[in-house]
Amino acid sequence: MTTLYLARHGETVDNVNRIMQGQTQGRLTLNGIRQAEELRDSMAQACLDAVVASDLRRAVDTAAIIAAPHGLPVATTPLLRERDWGSFTGRYIPELKDEPWPDDIETLDQLKARAAAFLDLMRREHAGQTVLAVGHGIINKAIQAVLYGKPMQEIKRMENAEVRKLEL
């Protein structure tokens, strides 16, 4: 069995400004760095075998902070990237409320297929290990929905730098 600590990156400038980040790199705020440091401290005694993150900067930076005391490198994968919001990317979220969704947004089926591929990768490459994975709010929700066989709306939203322990 693989133990997966699934975490969300720390707070970003775009989180604060309510900008749809999608698959942009993002930058941690000072608060986001502090959140990652608090998560690092809370996980200092965990016996991690590997650390993996989305290849987007906000997740890599968060993972690097948490991985430091464990002396582990951060492997990256695009499978953990946030949902691709297409032409909604970079827009102010409150303004999107009544707009029709454009055709270039990653579908839920595509997102869940990516989540399933990530879970398969973890089972295949990290069988029997304990892994920290740092992703993003919606992909993390999709990973849990696929793992538990539940609709995404039944999975509680993850806060910045929140971690959940999953058994694969």
Side-chain angles (χ1 to χ4, degrees):
M1 181 175 299
T2 301
T3 299
L4 182 68
Y5 287 101
L6 184 63
R8 182 178 175 204
H9 61 79
E11 178 188 79
T12 67
V13 172
D14 285 345
N15 290 150
V16 171
N17 293 318
R18 300 174 69 192
I19 301 297
M20 187 70 79
Q21 290 178 97
Q23 295 190 359
T24 61
Q25 293 298 323
R27 192 180 70 214
L28 296 178
T29 61
L30 290 176
N31 184 51
I33 293 168
R34 183 189 54 75
Q35 290 171 333
E37 290 169 343
E38 288 175 1
L39 184 52
R40 172 200 65 204
D41 295 347
S42 73
M43 295 195 69
Q45 300 307 311
C47 295
L48 300 177
D49 297 299
V51 177
V52 64
S54 154
D55 59 354
L56 301 176
R57 178 179 169 189
R58 59 194 188 265
V60 173
D61 289 350
T62 300
I65 290 168
I66 301 166
H70 300 276
L72 294 170
V74 177
T76 61
T77 177
L79 293 173
L80 274 175
R81 282 184 180 177
E82 183 56 291
R83 186 176 190 179
D84 184 350
W85 288 105
S87 54
F88 275 1
T89 301
R91 304 253 328 261
Y92 184 57
I93 294 170
E95 291 177 352
L96 302 174
K97 182 177 179 258
D98 297 319
E99 285 202 34
W101 280 37
D103 292 337
D104 60 356
I105 292 177
E106 183 177 21
T107 68
L108 284 180
D109 286 344
Q110 291 167 330
L111 181 71
K112 288 170 93 176
R114 200 157 45 88
F118 173 74
L119 289 168
D120 289 344
L121 176 72
M122 291 298 100
R123 289 181 183 113
R124 186 175 63 251
E125 293 191 4
H126 297 286
Q129 294 184 339
T130 300
V131 180
L132 168 70
V134 180
H136 308 268
I138 296 172
I139 187 62
N140 286 4
K141 197 178 230 207
I143 289 166
Q144 293 169 86
V146 169
L147 180 64
Y148 299 127
K150 293 184 173 185
M152 284 185 53
Q153 64 265 26
E154 289 185 19
I155 305 298
K156 187 174 179 273
R157 178 183 185 273
M158 291 182 78
E159 299 300 323
N160 290 112
E162 180 180 343
V163 66
R164 294 184 185 161
K165 184 178 180 181
L166 313 177
E167 300 290 343
L168 313 184

